[in-house]
Amino acid sequence: QNILVVGAGLMGSGIAQVFAVNGYKTTVADLKQEFVDKAMKKIDSDIAEMKEEGLADDAYGAAVKENLTGIL
């Protein structure tokens, strides 16, 4: 299944991350590219923090990256 999350704010990026890690092809969209870019950086930062705390591993990060894209 494909998921479209409209809105790349804190809530939207978090929702997109959860769908992506669970194997759904997920797209996060917003009105401005800067918002999409910020969301993608936030997700990368969250994954890195989760790895440091032992809450995620490399497979988690790989699943998110494989399944997540951002668009306008």
Side-chain angles (χ1 to χ4, degrees):
Q1 281 186 312
N2 296 315
I3 304 294
L4 173 63
V5 178
V6 178
L10 289 175
M11 202 157 130
S13 62
I15 291 167
Q17 181 176 335
V18 170
F19 276 119
V21 78
N22 284 290
Y24 293 94
K25 294 294 182 187
T26 307
T27 303
V28 63
D30 212 311
L31 295 174
K32 293 185 178 181
Q33 185 64 46
E34 67 186 274
F35 298 153
V36 174
D37 294 342
K38 186 176 178 180
M40 300 303 264
K41 287 179 186 174
K42 170 81 170 113
I43 291 168
D44 287 342
S45 173
D46 288 348
I47 292 169
E49 188 175 320
M50 290 173 72
K51 284 181 182 180
E52 287 176 14
E53 295 175 0
L55 300 173
D57 57 14
D58 290 337
Y60 181 98
V64 173
K65 289 193 180 279
E66 178 182 329
N67 291 311
L68 186 63
T69 57
I71 63 168
L72 289 178

